[in-house]
Amino acid sequence: MIGNLKPLEILLIIAVIVLLFGAKKLPEMARSLGKSARILKSEAKAMKKDGENEDAAAAPVADQAPQQPVAPRTIQAAPGDVTSSRPVNEPNRTTQG
């Protein structure tokens, strides 16, 4: 469907997008989309790496030394966002008072 668009139709779509969002918002939206794509890509790589490590650990090895415990994995926030970066297995804390 996208391959069937003519140049005039593409220009019309771009003009509508610029009118709806404004020229000032488009670069900001593109940056946030790029950051989201990078985060998604890094998380997908981490999940794939974790899966490969689990497969390798499942294979029996007779002369392998006992492994040390792995530090808890943390969720990394977007650059500049310090409020959402926290350990994954953080217990719920209640305030007393």
Side-chain angles (χ1 to χ4, degrees), residues 36-60:
S36 299
R38 274 181 265 147
I39 291 171
L40 180 66
K41 184 177 178 181
S42 67
E43 288 297 321
K45 282 184 181 179
M47 289 176 65
K48 185 176 180 182
K49 184 178 178 181
D50 288 345
E52 289 174 356
N53 288 343
E54 289 175 4
D55 290 343

Side-chain angles (χ1 to χ4, degrees), residues 4 25 42 53 64 69-70 73-74 76-77 79 84 86 88 97:
N4 296 337
K25 291 279 185 176
S42 67
N53 288 343
Q64 184 178 7
V70 178
R73 186 168 176 222
T74 58
Q76 294 181 347
S84 62
R86 58 182 164 59
V88 174

Side-chain angles (χ1 to χ4, degrees), residues 3-44:
N4 296 337
L5 293 178
K6 298 175 185 168
L8 183 60
E9 294 170 343
I10 294 173
L11 287 176
L12 182 63
I13 291 171
I14 291 172
V16 169
I17 290 172
V18 170
L19 287 174
L20 285 176
F21 296 108
K24 292 182 180 180
K25 291 279 185 176
L26 289 178
E28 180 182 325
M29 290 172 53
R31 270 187 237 109
S32 66
L33 182 64
K35 286 180 184 178
S36 299
R38 274 181 265 147
I39 291 171
L40 180 66
K41 184 177 178 181
S42 67
E43 288 297 321

Side-chain angles (χ1 to χ4, degrees), residues 61-96:
V61 178
D63 17 272
Q64 184 178 7
Q67 296 180 354
Q68 296 179 353
V70 178
R73 186 168 176 222
T74 58
I75 298 173
Q76 294 181 347
D81 183 15
V82 296
T83 59
S84 62
S85 180
R86 58 182 164 59
V88 174
N89 295 328
E90 181 178 17
N92 291 335
R93 297 181 183 171
T94 59
T95 57
Q96 296 177 350

